Amino acid sequence: MVSRPVMGIVVPCYNEEEVLPAAREALLGQLDALISREAVSEGSFVLFVDDGSQDGTWRLIVEYAAADKRVKGLKLAGNAGHQNALFSGLMQARTISDCTVSIDADLQDDVAAIGYFLEKYAEGNHIVYGIRKERGTDTSFKRNSAQTFYKLMRIFGVKLRYNHADYRLLSRQALDALELYREGHLFLRGIVPLLGFRSAEVYYNRLERAAGVTKYPLRKMLSFAFDGITSFSNIPIRLITYAGIMTLAASVAAVAYVIASIAAGSVVPGWTSIMISVWVLGGLQLVGIGVVGEYIGKIFMEVKRRPRYVVEAFTDDKTNDENGREF
Ligand code: UDP
Ligand code: MG
């Protein structure tokens, strides 16, 4: 354990120009407080990762980096998605820090908790999870969908920390281990508990988004949840098998019933039952094919071994011009 660790705060940013000034102020303020308390070393920094924003996010990051050496910026060539952007920042920060804290740009996660993260780190924990105490400030839709997501994940056997998002501290050793996870569909919340290492939890209050709008519309949320389940669990595919077995058992009973009816001489050509069979079986088959297809799709993506992100620029590389435009 390092007595005064170099800490990197990694912040993925996608079209966050509205909230970035406030985020910079809050994070640097927190960093200053921690440095003066001698909780972290003076070389500690904030690393903003621009996840292919279309607005002025990168311009602001370059400006901040030029004005203050505690600010660094990493620009991805395109929108790689929250998890990949976060991962790219963690891998960049890992080489120049003892531990990293990941936090969203919108300041929904209370920055004051970082001090407690560091206390737990000093006690020898390699992973410190930030756990939300309550979700009072989220919309009820967001809250309910998130709760359903956690419940569903538990049913599907994925071990997640309840109410933990991506606000956490990771030691350099934990990050070294994280790098070994080569899967294409990154779902950090599911992977981090698999790393092992001693871990601790810190509770904090979830705040409202400081500015701007959510970058997680329903479409992205659903795909995030879907990825979480299909990347970590084969239970959906097993459910289809169970459904198949039950359908088979039911059809045995149906055949017995038909034979009995024939024996009783009361057979009426049944349009209804045929229609029901066609629809029910057709539906079951389609669902089954869909789930199998989902896994095959994943295999397809995995075998391609595509890079998860492409770095376009890093503010510490001295190849940029003053405005940072010609990286
Ligand atoms: N984000 C990103 N890439 C994306 C979507 C989001 O880097 O494609 C970042 C975003 O800038 C923010 C964090 O991920 O810092 C979480 O997004 P947001 O706060 O919009 O999600 P919510 O809190 O509404 O779930
Ligand atoms: Mg948010």
Side-chain angles (χ1 to χ4, degrees):
M1 205 52 42
V2 192
S3 60
R4 282 181 59 189
V6 178
M7 175 184 63
I9 303 178
V10 177
V11 193
C13 309
Y14 178 54
N15 293 341
E16 296 286 15
E17 66 179 1
E18 275 175 72
V19 83
L20 220 53
R24 172 186 161 274
E25 209 179 297
L27 292 169
L28 286 183
Q30 189 62 28
L31 205 58
D32 279 337
L34 291 167
I35 290 171
S36 63
R37 270 188 5 221
E38 305 202 340
V40 295
S41 103
E42 277 163 30
S44 299
F45 59 91
V46 178
L47 171 62
F48 290 106
V49 181
D50 174 21
D51 186 17
S53 301
Q54 287 104 34
D55 67 355
T57 297
W58 180 243
R59 195 172 29 77
L60 284 179
I61 294 173
V62 170
E63 206 175 279
Y64 298 160
D68 193 326
K69 68 171 175 23
R70 294 169 305 169
V71 177
K72 299 176 195 299
L74 183 71
K75 180 174 167 52
L76 302 188
N79 182 231
H82 176 210
Q83 299 288 293
N84 291 324
L86 179 52
F87 184 81
S88 73
L90 291 174
M91 288 304 122
Q92 186 75 45
R94 178 178 66 124
T95 56
I96 44 177
S97 62
D98 299 307
C99 63
T100 59
V101 169
S102 49
I103 188 166
D104 289 348
D106 58 8
L107 300 175
Q108 279 189 285
D109 305 310
D110 188 1
V111 293
I114 297 175
Y116 299 103
F117 284 14
L118 286 162
E119 280 175 22
K120 298 283 184 192
Y121 172 68
E123 287 165 13
N125 294 290
H126 285 275
I127 302 170
V128 184
Y129 299 98
I131 311 271
R132 294 169 202 159
K133 255 190 263 180
E134 36 123 331
R135 304 185 65 121
T137 53
D138 275 345
T139 62
S140 71
F141 171 71
K142 182 100 195 173
R143 202 162 53 232
N144 289 329
S145 58
Q147 303 289 8
T148 313
F149 171 63
Y150 286 114
K151 284 196 188 116
L152 214 61
M153 292 297 273
R154 185 155 310 169
I155 292 168
F156 285 131
V158 187
K159 290 185 189 67
L160 284 188
R161 297 280 148 145
Y162 199 64
N163 270 348
H164 161 67
D166 284 305
Y167 188 28
R168 70 173 83 81
L169 177 144
L170 292 170
S171 70
R172 192 208 292 235
Q173 246 180 303
L175 287 173
D176 288 345
L178 183 63
E179 198 203 5
L180 303 177
Y181 285 74
R182 302 301 313 161
E183 59 215 74
H185 286 88
L186 203 57
F187 186 68
L188 291 169
R189 271 175 242 186
I191 297 174
V192 170
L194 299 180
L195 296 176
F197 291 112
R198 210 175 120 179
S199 68
E201 297 179 345
V202 166
Y203 290 81
Y204 67 96
N205 283 319
R206 178 91 163 160
L207 312 167
E208 265 173 76
R209 202 175 221 287
V213 295
T214 177
K215 306 301 179 296
Y216 260 103
L218 185 61
R219 184 178 54 78
K220 274 193 183 173
M221 258 161 59
L222 285 177
S223 110
F224 184 67
F226 215 72
D227 264 359
I229 291 166
T230 53
S231 300
F232 282 87
S233 158
N234 57 5
I235 290 181
I237 218 162
R238 204 160 298 154
L239 286 180
I240 294 299
T241 317
Y242 291 157
I245 292 169
M246 281 189 306
T247 312
L248 222 63
S251 67
V252 170
V255 168
Y257 174 70
V258 167
I259 292 171
S261 301
I262 291 169
S266 62
V267 179
V268 177
W271 181 81
T272 320
S273 55
I274 289 173
M275 287 307 277
I276 288 174
S277 325
V278 167
W279 282 97
V280 170
L281 289 178
L284 269 176
Q285 281 167 347
L286 282 180
V287 171
I289 292 168
V291 173
V292 172
E294 186 61 32
Y295 283 92
I296 291 176
K298 282 220 146 57
I299 295 169
F300 177 63
M301 295 308 286
E302 296 296 339
V303 294
K304 277 202 275 217
R305 290 255 157 265
R306 281 185 182 163
R308 282 193 288 236
Y309 57 88
V310 176
V311 171
E312 190 175 321
F314 180 48
T315 50
D316 273 13
D317 297 338
K318 295 299 171 210
T319 47
N320 52 321
D321 76 0
E322 226 75 287
N323 323 313
R325 251 179 261 119
E326 304 298 329
F327 272 93

